[in-house]
Amino acid sequence: MKLLLKITAWLALALTILLTGWAFCFYIATVDEINDETDDSLIDYSDGLIIRKLAGVELPSDDNGTNNTYYIKEVTEEYAMSHPWISFENQEVFIAAKSEFESARVLNRIFRDRDDCFFELTVAVPTFEKEDIQRSILWWIIALYVALLLSVLFISVLVVSYNMRPLKAMLRWLDEYNPGKPMPPVPSGDNVTEFRRLSETIQNAASRFEVQYQEQKRFIGNASHELQTPLASCIGRIEMLLDSPDLSEMQASELVKVHRELQGLINLNKTLLLLTRIENGQFPDTSKIDFSSVLSDAEAMFSEIYAGKGVRVSMSVDEPFIWEMNPQLALILVRNLLKNAFVHSSSGSEVQVRMGRGGFSVANPGDRPLDSGKIFTRFYHSQSANEGSTGLGLAIVSSICGGYGLSVDYSFAGGMHIFSVKAGIHHKNF
């Protein structure tokens, strides 16, 4: 989850909780305030009625054109003493002026006259409908919530985006960083301590990595050179010994075996050096490669080399597959896949090459599927692998594809081993 989205989600949650609590408190306060005002008016109205009752003045009609209603009834002393003399409650009362029941605030008040007779005065005044006020408050809360949420989120997005510019610049720098290539200094957030420290940490890490990278390149080059020289010298001496006239058949056989093993070491050394150079990004030059022509050239070459096996190649190109990458690595990629197909195909069989706009595939016949989880790892050998195989061909294919936004997959269908190279998304930019 992106940082900005996470901040937005937490703000939305906090605002929801805050506004919900505020709405509840606002509703309670509103109801209490309305009830207090209504109770004060009921007290004043009842005072006037009681005064007129005690003074013997004619009371107003309970149907006087207003929504207020009242009635007075005489009660016993026991009733008066067992009930509160002033009480308020909410009831549904019949309003004569409207000929309907409405919610009302009711005052029950007990008093006595000069003759010690007790009376109960009930005064009712229509008040608000709780459902109406709840609905009204709910809609206002929703409107307020939406307005506040959008405003806060909009301001938060602007503020966070503005202050995160140094971090985005550092991330772009890291995306564009390639070891061994000159790079500008890491962008720094001068006004923010954390960003400044992060920039310094990235710069220090990149500097240390550059030193290690250069040392690794020198070590690999020196090691490869130091290995190639004695190996080539040993092979030359063995070849000289093989030309010796007094060499026995057994000695010659053993020398041939040693020669083969040394040649395998030379090939392994060259292949490991190539794989390391690929992974270290030492092939910076790129151009648009038309894989249809690269496949055609490689197919012609291997058909000639393995002509004795009688392997046929069926090539189908729906559309040319064009991809930007290093030309030398594109050639290595195609040759490794085709050589793998020729080597592991039985005599007289057919290798199928299919190409479309999104990639190409190379398929060769087989008896059983290979281990798809290990086939692209280094030094993996199938049961049918040749004795001289280094087990690095498909690992090189995988490394090249991963470096240039391609994907390589293996599948087994219809008695065919199928290696598919497809256009991907991620580009490592060697």
Side-chain angles (χ1 to χ4, degrees):
M1 178 183 290
K2 290 187 177 181
L3 179 61
L4 188 59
L5 181 60
K6 191 170 185 178
I7 292 175
T8 303
W10 278 106
L11 282 175
L13 178 61
L15 281 175
T16 300
I17 296 174
L18 178 64
L19 289 178
T20 301
W22 176 86
F24 178 77
C25 295
F26 177 77
Y27 173 74
I28 296 299
T30 301
V31 171
D32 287 344
E33 184 63 26
I34 293 175
N35 285 337
D36 287 342
E37 293 296 328
T38 304
D39 292 347
D40 290 342
S41 65
L42 286 173
I43 290 291
D44 293 339
Y45 187 60
S46 64
D47 285 344
L49 292 174
I50 292 174
I51 291 173
R52 296 182 69 170
K53 173 69 174 176
L54 295 179
V57 179
E58 182 181 1
L59 296 176
S61 172
D62 56 1
D63 185 12
N64 54 9
T66 68
N67 290 332
N68 297 338
T69 60
Y70 76 92
Y71 60 89
I72 300 175
K73 66 177 181 179
E74 187 175 356
V75 295
T76 63
E77 182 178 356
E78 291 79 6
Y79 178 88
M81 295 304 172
S82 62
H83 288 78
W85 283 39
I86 297 179
S87 64
F88 298 93
E89 59 182 342
N90 296 314
Q91 292 182 1
E92 292 287 327
V93 298
F94 182 77
I95 304 300
K98 293 185 177 181
S99 299
E100 63 180 12
F101 284 90
E102 286 191 0
S103 296
R105 186 71 171 172
V106 178
L107 167 64
N108 294 312
R109 189 170 181 180
I110 297 175
F111 65 95
R112 65 182 176 182
D113 60 10
R114 296 173 182 175
D115 299 329
D116 288 333
C117 294
F118 292 90
F119 298 88
E120 183 180 45
L121 169 64
T122 300
V123 182
V125 60
T127 184
F128 60 89
E129 293 281 351
K130 286 189 176 181
E131 293 183 357
D132 293 340
I133 195 171
Q134 287 174 352
R135 191 181 303 112
S136 177
I137 292 177
L138 176 63
W139 283 112
W140 278 107
I141 289 299
I142 292 175
L144 178 63
Y145 171 76
V146 172
L148 281 177
L149 182 62
L150 293 179
S151 301
V152 170
L153 294 184
F154 178 73
I155 295 173
S156 299
V157 168
L158 291 181
V159 172
V160 173
S161 298
Y162 179 81
N163 288 280
M164 285 294 177
R165 290 182 303 166
L167 179 60
K168 294 179 180 178
M170 294 180 205
L171 292 176
R172 283 195 300 270
W173 189 93
L174 288 172
D175 288 337
E176 297 171 359
Y177 173 70
N178 282 316
K181 292 184 178 181
M183 293 288 294
V186 180
S188 174
D190 297 330
N191 298 327
V192 181
T193 303
E194 289 78 4
F195 286 160
R196 187 170 61 253
R197 292 180 59 188
L198 179 60
S199 174
E200 294 172 355
T201 302
I202 293 174
Q203 187 67 67
N204 293 334
S207 300
R208 290 194 300 268
F209 185 76
E210 283 294 324
V211 173
Q212 295 173 357
Y213 174 75
Q214 296 300 331
E215 291 179 352
Q216 184 183 31
K217 282 180 61 178
R218 286 194 296 269
F219 171 77
I220 292 172
N222 294 337
S224 174
H225 177 74
E226 294 299 328
L227 283 173
Q228 287 294 109
T229 301
L231 287 174
S233 176
C234 289
I235 286 181
R237 292 176 181 178
I238 289 174
E239 290 175 349
M240 289 176 57
L241 288 174
L242 287 173
D243 292 336
S244 177
D246 56 349
L247 194 66
S248 67
E249 183 178 350
M250 184 185 70
Q251 291 173 334
S253 175
E254 293 300 322
L255 286 174
V256 168
K257 293 179 182 178
V258 174
H259 183 277
R260 185 167 58 247
E261 292 296 332
L262 289 174
Q263 190 63 52
L265 283 175
I266 291 177
N267 293 336
L268 178 61
N269 184 54
K270 290 180 178 179
T271 306
L272 284 173
L273 178 61
L274 173 63
L275 185 58
T276 304
R277 292 179 63 198
I278 292 172
E279 293 179 346
N280 287 340
Q282 293 177 242
F283 295 87
D285 299 330
T286 62
S287 61
K288 291 188 179 297
I289 305 298
D290 185 351
F291 276 90
S292 59
S293 60
V294 178
L295 278 166
S296 297
D297 295 341
E299 182 269 329
M301 181 186 70
F302 286 116
S303 294
E304 183 178 349
I305 293 174
Y306 294 96
K309 295 184 69 173
V311 176
R312 304 180 308 279
V313 178
S314 169
M315 184 174 294
S316 173
V317 179
D318 295 334
E319 289 186 65
F321 174 55
I322 299 175
W323 199 255
E324 184 171 350
M325 62 185 300
N326 180 269
Q328 184 179 353
L329 294 184
L331 186 61
I332 294 172
L333 167 65
V334 170
R335 287 182 176 180
N336 278 10
L337 287 176
L338 274 179
K339 181 180 178 181
N340 180 76
F342 272 90
V343 168
H344 294 92
S345 295
S346 57
S347 299
S349 60
E350 182 181 73
V351 173
Q352 299 177 358
V353 179
R354 301 287 182 266
M355 179 177 291
R357 187 177 181 181
F360 65 92
S361 65
V362 177
N364 63 280
D367 298 329
R368 62 179 65 88
L370 303 175
D371 189 344
S372 58
K374 298 180 180 179
I375 193 170
F376 294 108
T377 58
R378 299 181 184 184
F379 305 111
Y380 172 77
H381 293 275
S382 64
Q383 296 179 356
S384 60
N386 290 346
E387 184 179 348
S389 173
T390 61
L392 292 173
L394 293 178
I396 291 176
V397 169
S398 177
S399 181
I400 294 174
C401 289
Y404 289 97
L406 298 170
S407 64
V408 57
D409 301 310
Y410 165 77
S411 61
F412 184 80
M416 302 289 285
H417 299 290
I418 305 172
F419 293 88
S420 303
V421 176
K422 300 177 182 178
I425 300 176
H426 179 66
H427 200 321
K428 190 176 178 181
N429 284 326
F430 277 160

